[in-house]
Structure formats: C-alpha cells, structure tokens
Amino acid sequence: MPIALPVPARLLLAFVLVLPAAAHAQSAAMPTCMTLLPAEAIAKVAGETFRDLGSEVSRSGASDCEWAARLGTPGAKTLSFTFYDVVALQASPAYANADEYFESVVSGPEQRSSGKREMLPGIGVKAAFVPATPQVLVAVQRKDGVARLVGNNLTKAQMIALARAIAAP
C-alpha cells in the first residue's frame, strides 16, 4: 500500500532525489585527464605506444592518469597527468583559485631542483615548462582547470606538444 505524503513532503523528496543527479551531471561534463589526453594523443606526440597504467577521478573532480612505455628498460618513459577542474579547485582548502594552484605546481619543482620555469606563451590561459631532472614538468592553466604533466625520458619538445594538446577547450 503506497504511503500518501503531503504536497510539501513530496516536493522535498523530489528535490532530494533530483539534486544529486543534477550535481553528477554537472561534474560528468567537466573534463578529466582521460578526456583531455587520450593514449592515442600521447602516442602521436611521443612516437610510440604508451600503456595506460590506470586512472582515477576523485569525488572532488580531480583526475589522475598514468601511462608508460618500455617499462623495465633503461629508456622507460612515464607520464603522469593530474587535472583539477574548477569544482575541485573551489573545494580545495589549500588553494583559493586556479592561479594559486598553478603557482604551487610550478614553484614546487623549481624549489627542489636547479631547473627554473620557462613560460610558454600562447598555450592555455598560461603554461610553464620546468626541467626538474630527471623529470620534466609542464603545467597548463585552462579556463576550466589546471593540468599538471610530469614526464620521465620525454623531451622538452614532446612535453610542450602535450601541453598544446590539452590546452584547447
């Protein structure tokens, strides 16, 4: 036998049931590392196939992806990509906005290595390359978030090409 709810209670129940679905639909539309940089794009830039080592999207909207080529050999190549969308940045207690997060991504490797940032004009809102040997880093601020790419055994030219690939909306 169905339970008869008064009109205000039915409206509240409908709101409670629809709200999570609407929030999920909004976050599903946000880009992730998987949508911004598929394995085929990496292969095109790096000249070889990279194996997907796994990806994850957190509830806050941050996404992490890992790829590798020639694992177990001296010339093994790896690529780690983290993308914080604007929702994740707004939810973060550590960063007030995308500019602050971008700065932290770039300044960390600078402080730990002798490599200094090289700004990359014309890529995204702003972008930088940091040669933090043996790894190299590229950070790209887009209108919808900030991307952080860390590569091993990838050239500066390859990292900048990857930055260009993810900079476009």
Side-chain angles (χ1 to χ4, degrees):
M1 176 174 195
I3 299 173
L5 295 173
V7 173
R10 281 186 278 178
L11 290 174
L12 179 61
L13 180 60
F15 179 74
V16 169
L17 293 175
V18 171
L19 184 61
H24 177 68
Q26 180 183 1
S27 65
M30 289 294 198
T32 65
C33 59
M34 294 80 76
T35 60
L36 291 173
L37 192 61
E40 302 80 39
I42 299 168
K44 184 178 178 183
V45 168
E48 60 188 290
T49 302
F50 275 63
R51 188 177 64 169
D52 183 350
L53 299 179
S55 57
E56 178 182 348
V57 178
S58 71
R59 294 186 74 166
S60 69
S63 59
D64 292 299
C65 297
E66 302 282 335
W67 297 277
R70 295 189 268 149
L71 277 179
T73 67
K77 297 180 180 185
T78 61
L79 183 64
S80 173
F81 179 14
T82 302
F83 184 73
Y84 276 86
D85 66 27
V86 292
V87 174
L89 290 169
Q90 290 168 351
S92 171
Y95 310 105
N97 55 46
D99 287 326
E100 280 188 16
Y101 179 66
F102 177 89
E103 184 57 33
S104 75
V105 166
V106 175
S107 64
E110 280 183 316
Q111 292 168 4
R112 290 186 298 275
S113 73
S114 60
K116 297 300 173 203
R117 78 181 71 185
E118 176 187 334
M119 295 306 291
L120 305 172
I123 300 177
V125 173
K126 60 183 167 182
F129 172 82
V130 180
T133 305
Q135 298 177 326
V136 289
L137 171 121
V138 168
V140 178
Q141 184 174 337
R142 297 167 35 113
K143 291 179 182 175
D144 54 4
V146 178
R148 175 184 169 270
L149 290 161
V150 178
N152 283 299
N153 291 321
L154 291 167
T155 66
K156 177 181 176 180
Q158 289 170 326
M159 292 297 286
I160 292 172
L162 292 170
R164 287 187 198 289
I166 63 169

